[in-house]
Amino acid sequence: MIISAIAQGLLWSVLGIGIFTTYRILNFPDLTAEGSFPLGAAVAVTAILFGIHPIFASLLAVIAGMLAGLVTSLLYIKGKIPIILSGILVMSGLHSVILFIMRRPNLSLLNQPRLFDTFSGLPNYFDVVVVGLIVLMIVISLLLGFFYTDLGQAYIATGDNEKMARSFGIETDKMKLMGIVLSNGLIALGGALVAQNNGYADVNGGSGIIVIGLASIIIAEVAFSNMKLGERLLTIVIGSILYQLLLLGVIRLGLDTTYIRLFSSAILAMCLMLPQVRQKMRLGTLIGKGEEF
Amino acid sequence: MTTVLQLEQISKQVFNESDRHTTILNQINLTVNKGDFITVLGGNGAGKSTLFNAITGSTSVSGGQVSLKGKHLNTIKEEKRAAFIARVFQDPKMGTAPRMTVAENLLLALKRGQKPTLFSRGLNRHYDYFKSLCETIGNGLEEKLDVPTEQLSGGQRQSLSLLMATLTEPDVLLLDEHTAALDPKIAVRLMELTDQIIHEKQLTCLMITHRMEDALKYGNRLIVLEKGSIKSDLNEKEKSALSMDDLFHLFERDETPAP
């Protein structure tokens, strides 16, 4: 069970990393994720059913996610629609797109090849762990490589201080577009991986996934503070695994799975409030000791 | 003398909710020559910051033409103008990327106006240069090259902003009350540093200031803005003959005296 949770955590962390590239770097709450995640799942599963190799099916999912991101970013940048609303519009529209792709609300991968088959000789769940680690290694090294190019630095600067970035000649709109496209490509990859692990794609598979993605980011930030960018990406993987273990623990404790989403949101809300609580406590002790700050 | 920056009949109007327009800049004509260091004075709402925004392109003008070295800028976007026009903001937080380190910020500044590529940023190649650059300031910035700028003091941040703005020797440097948010002592030191850099690199500079003594002490030309128009434009000779009292008199006729 624990290995299964770790395997799940590894796959879901791709989603977390995807959300991180916009939510934390650009400070964008991009809700397209709830559409691009099941879109990735739908594209990958449909492609596999058409006989396409799982690797290429997963890559197709990435492209589909990037296109979804492109629509969101164009609505936001050219259409001047606020980013949250742009994301909601695309997320909602993607529901129909997914139904169009799959021709039905859900599609099973029963007896079909999956990305994990290459390592099917390994004991249960270990094949998923190995594939998850390989994918993460590729994703994280590519992302890190990108962040330390001139373009990547311009992208980070745009999220850090847009006005300043523009004053040094960085075309911030292009950077935002690139970030949203990139992020949704990663999120769709997460969808494709999770769908292949679950063995099916569902049109409603994206509902609530923002919470899961954010949870891995926030848990990572609460558990490990002051990280460099590369370390931060790795801690999101750990955060994602911790979140899955937490869910496992809660289910083991006998919580009715009906309430799992409520529980997830509650965990996330608490983690989001934690920095404030910490600060208040620290201020309290400082005042108590009469120290300067 | 070569003209670097030319403003012809620059106007800026904004419309408020009841569709009545307010004139912020009113037919401004200004010719800035190479090597000019112009101090800009004016009360609240005189249009100083809007004038800078019109030059950088962060605000579009309602009428008139901005030209840089004879080239019309009106249709050129802010990001493109940034290759030649540098700016330091009043708020120390505005000039740097807070989560990026001092060295990373300097690297961004070094690549001002270049199209970012997918080549490695090459921070290590410039690291020693950045270190020696920071040492010239003398406020310990060189010890903090790997520190995110959000952890710097206001003075350190602002001197970094200045360093970044002048690194590639822009055609025009715009300083928008860049010492106003600092402690008086640190503000004086930053102002001396500013003067030194401008002279060493022979930059062309416009500096908005609310400190009359700085307006008198620095630069070779002084302009006073009032209600969107240039009220006085004093050359080096007239400026050096000016006393603080004279300067106050220039403002006395103004309905909104300088703070």
Side-chain angles (χ1 to χ4, degrees):
Chain A
M1 276 305 265
I2 288 179
I3 296 296
S4 157
I6 291 175
Q8 294 270 354
L10 287 173
L11 299 186
W12 281 99
S13 65
V14 178
L15 165 76
I17 290 170
I19 292 180
F20 178 84
T21 55
T22 45
Y23 177 68
R24 272 304 184 226
I25 297 187
L26 283 187
N27 278 322
F28 269 7
D30 176 19
L31 296 180
T32 318
E34 300 234 333
S36 50
F37 187 84
L39 176 71
V43 168
V45 169
T46 309
I48 289 173
L49 287 172
F50 268 105
I52 294 174
H53 190 279
I55 290 183
F56 295 110
S58 305
L59 289 177
L60 277 179
V62 174
I63 293 170
M66 289 169 97
L67 286 175
L70 183 66
V71 176
T72 303
S73 56
L74 288 177
L75 287 176
Y76 167 66
I77 293 164
K78 299 285 177 198
K80 309 278 180 214
I81 301 172
I83 184 67
I84 293 200
L85 205 49
S86 300
I88 289 176
L89 290 174
V90 173
M91 167 187 101
S92 175
L94 280 176
H95 193 88
S96 302
V97 175
I98 292 166
L99 283 176
F100 172 80
I101 291 171
M102 300 202 298
R103 303 278 167 194
R104 65 196 66 163
N106 55 61
L107 212 51
S108 168
L109 267 184
L110 201 66
N111 299 323
Q112 294 289 333
R114 300 175 199 183
L115 204 53
F116 316 108
D117 289 353
T118 332
F119 299 94
S120 53
L122 292 170
N124 236 355
Y125 303 124
F126 277 95
D127 51 345
V128 180
V129 171
V130 171
V131 171
L133 284 175
I134 292 173
V135 171
L136 281 171
M137 231 159 66
I138 296 171
V139 164
I140 292 180
S141 44
L142 280 179
L143 263 186
L144 269 186
F146 165 69
F147 284 142
Y148 290 114
T149 62
D150 284 338
L151 192 64
Q153 294 283 294
Y155 174 65
I156 295 174
T158 299
D160 241 19
N161 186 344
E162 194 181 338
K163 202 172 166 188
M164 168 264 183
R166 262 209 306 277
S167 81
F168 282 94
I170 295 170
E171 295 182 87
T172 50
D173 279 348
K174 276 190 192 161
M175 296 300 127
K176 289 182 198 166
L177 181 136
M178 185 181 71
I180 297 171
V181 167
L182 193 74
S183 156
N184 282 291
L186 283 172
I187 292 166
L189 177 63
L193 292 173
V194 170
Q196 289 179 63
N197 187 39
N198 291 344
Y200 65 90
D202 190 300
V203 68
N204 295 317
S207 146
I209 60 107
I210 287 259
V211 172
I212 301 175
L214 287 182
S216 54
I217 296 171
I218 306 293
I219 290 174
E221 287 174 350
V222 170
F224 311 91
S225 51
N226 289 328
M227 290 276 135
K228 291 210 168 110
L229 199 53
E231 299 164 338
R232 176 53 72 213
L233 293 179
L234 289 177
T235 59
I236 291 173
V237 178
I238 299 173
S240 174
I241 293 172
L242 285 177
Y243 180 72
Q244 293 296 333
L245 289 173
L246 203 63
L247 287 186
L248 178 70
V250 171
I251 293 168
R252 279 286 180 82
L253 283 176
L255 184 91
D256 189 339
T257 45
T258 319
Y259 302 118
I260 205 83
R261 293 270 290 270
L262 180 63
F263 178 77
S264 298
S265 291
I267 294 182
L268 184 59
M270 278 193 286
C271 288
L272 283 168
M273 285 186 289
L274 201 63
Q276 275 199 39
V277 175
R278 267 192 193 162
Q279 200 175 18
K280 277 206 178 120
M281 277 163 58
R282 208 171 55 218
L283 282 185
T285 52
L286 278 176
I287 293 165
K289 285 179 191 165
E291 280 177 29
E292 282 180 46
F293 60 92
Chain B
M1 247 192 246
T2 15
T3 301
V4 175
L5 183 72
Q6 181 129 34
L7 308 185
E8 290 163 288
Q9 306 275 315
I10 292 296
S11 295
K12 174 72 186 177
Q13 274 125 20
V14 289
F15 292 87
N16 56 18
E17 280 163 25
S18 51
D19 232 25
R20 301 254 295 268
H21 69 262
T22 321
T23 302
I24 302 178
L25 295 177
N26 187 14
Q27 312 262 334
I28 292 216
N29 289 304
L30 183 68
T31 303
V32 182
N33 292 318
K34 174 129 188 56
D36 267 354
F37 180 2
I38 304 175
T39 52
V40 182
L41 281 171
N44 287 330
K48 299 170 305 223
S49 289
T50 310
L51 180 70
F52 274 17
N53 288 337
I55 296 171
T56 61
S58 53
T59 297
S60 60
V61 294
S62 315
Q65 185 64 253
V66 183
S67 334
L68 186 77
K69 290 177 156 177
K71 195 177 164 193
H72 289 342
L73 289 185
N74 281 17
T75 54
I76 297 176
K77 278 198 299 183
E78 181 187 3
E79 294 98 308
K80 299 284 179 200
R81 294 189 200 186
F84 316 101
I85 301 171
R87 185 172 189 174
V88 181
F89 301 97
Q90 176 178 356
D91 182 354
K93 289 193 186 99
M94 277 328 304
T96 53
R99 290 182 296 182
M100 298 174 85
T101 65
V102 171
E104 286 171 336
N105 271 281
L106 282 166
L107 193 64
L108 280 177
L110 192 65
K111 293 176 178 169
R112 169 190 290 279
Q114 294 177 16
K115 216 169 173 56
T117 61
L118 276 174
F119 289 111
S120 172
R121 59 180 181 165
L123 183 64
N124 294 337
R125 252 184 296 142
H126 303 287
Y127 200 85
D128 289 338
Y129 169 53
F130 290 159
K131 200 172 179 108
S132 60
L133 211 59
C134 290
E135 276 164 359
T136 59
I137 301 179
N139 61 1
L141 203 57
E142 67 277 8
E143 305 291 321
K144 307 212 161 164
L145 277 175
D146 297 317
V147 173
T149 60
E150 63 190 350
Q151 292 172 24
L152 301 180
S153 68
Q156 282 174 329
R157 270 199 205 189
Q158 208 59 337
S159 50
L160 175 62
S161 299
L162 181 70
L163 214 54
M164 287 167 64
T166 55
L167 196 57
T168 50
E169 307 192 6
D171 291 330
V172 177
L173 172 66
L174 302 175
L175 305 171
D176 190 351
E177 296 201 44
H178 70 303
T179 65
L182 305 175
D183 291 341
K185 240 184 181 169
I186 294 167
V188 168
R189 269 181 39 203
L190 184 68
M191 202 47 241
E192 283 164 1
L193 178 72
T194 307
D195 194 48
Q196 182 197 330
I197 291 177
I198 288 172
H199 280 110
E200 272 172 13
K201 302 201 168 189
Q202 302 184 345
L203 297 174
T204 306
C205 173
L206 276 92
M207 178 176 82
I208 296 175
T209 179
H210 68 293
R211 295 162 61 94
M212 302 250 188
E213 58 268 38
D214 283 351
L216 277 184
K217 187 173 169 192
Y218 298 103
N220 64 345
R221 190 170 158 193
L222 187 153
I223 60 177
V224 180
L225 278 181
E226 186 188 307
K227 291 178 194 155
S229 303
I230 295 180
K231 187 184 174 190
S232 323
D233 185 346
L234 308 175
N235 63 25
E236 192 159 18
K237 211 171 143 193
E238 294 164 328
K239 183 171 174 286
S240 58
L242 206 67
S243 70
M244 275 291 242
D245 277 347
D246 298 333
L247 207 50
F248 275 116
H249 283 301
L250 272 178
F251 274 100
E252 252 174 28
R253 285 173 283 155
D254 195 341
E255 283 168 26
T256 49

